[in-house]
Amino acid sequence: MVETGSTDTDCEEVLSVTSIIASESKITICGWPTDVVLIDHCNAKHADEESALRQSSAIDNRSQRRDCCKPHTLLLFVPGNPGVVHWYTDFLTQVVERLGKGYAARGVSYAGHGVGEVIVGNDDEHSKTDYSGNREDEGKNPKLRNMKIPWTMDGQIQHKIAWIDALIDDWRKQFLSNSKSNPSKETPNFIFISHSIGAHFVQCLLLRRPDILAHTAHIIHLMPFFRFDPPPLKSFMLSHAASWYEYVVPMMTTLVNAASVFPRRWIDFYLERHVGLNCPKGRKIALDIFLNPKMMRNHLVLGLQEIRELPKMPNVSPYVS
């Protein structure tokens, strides 16, 4: 929690002190429980209670932010692959703190990226689906979720559009419920921040949804990825790995299964000393997600499609219609 000492007239009452509340929770998007991050300036007087409410929220508990200041601009963060938003919570909190009141941040993980079977998928969903997300028994078992959402770029773009629609609805319910204006007509301004392949997803969703684009003030791509352009040898290896994905994906998931027999502290030591991952929280997230074969499969199936299909020059037209 970060406290700031200025006043804010956009809150429901005049507050002498506000605190930044960052919370990590889950909501269901396109049938997939998904990790999200919410960062707001809130009334410091009730900040501890507000923080406790957020942290206790279960899946789909969207509207518990009672004492937060109404933001005129939402920073919308879309990470790269692996799309785990919790890696970026501290970064987004610092951005909101520096921008001051009137700004809030929302971040989203990818469908199928995170920790736990409810997020990454179960045995039947993975084993009965090809790497294009198609199933032979399509529609016969309604309990099996659509694997095209986590395994394809088009599915992930649909997922991000549905996320934005949900947060706009949440913003209107929270801040406009007592407004005399028509809540359905008011929308906050957006600043998109993306990392790596997230840049591609943001561009596609904005082209698909002119209404969202109309409220977008800025787009900030951090190290955007459209297509690897590495040295020749690495390019050769990546291109062939992407072409042979039907062999690479099971081989890598088998290696993850083998690595999971080692004590976590050994792998944690390796990540800290040899990989240079000094943040304990970052190492814990890395261990949780990369020692899970299903999470590794989701990451690889999507990532290898990115390498196969994205051109060296940006071209989002196949993903716009």
Side-chain angles (χ1 to χ4, degrees), residues 128-135 138 145-152 301:
K128 296 182 178 181
T129 310
D130 67 24
Y131 291 138
S132 297
N134 299 310
R135 273 200 304 270
E138 196 74 46
R145 292 172 290 184
N146 182 1
M147 293 300 293
K148 291 181 181 179
I149 300 298
W151 280 4
T152 69
V301 172

Side-chain angles (χ1 to χ4, degrees), residues 81 110-111 113 131-133 147-161 197-202 204-205 208 225-227 298-311 315-316 318-320:
N81 186 7
Y110 288 7
H113 288 216
Y131 291 138
S132 297
M147 293 300 293
K148 291 181 181 179
I149 300 298
W151 280 4
T152 69
M153 288 187 288
D154 184 71
Q156 292 289 354
I157 294 165
Q158 293 178 44
H159 179 265
K160 304 306 168 289
I161 291 174
I197 189 62
H200 175 75
F201 296 158
V202 167
C204 290
L205 75 87
R208 289 188 187 185
F225 167 82
F226 293 101
R227 175 68 165 84
N298 295 346
H299 163 61
L300 288 172
V301 172
L302 179 64
L304 294 177
Q305 186 197 30
E306 296 165 7
I307 295 174
R308 287 196 308 277
E309 295 191 7
L310 290 184
N315 177 19
V316 300
Y319 302 94
V320 172

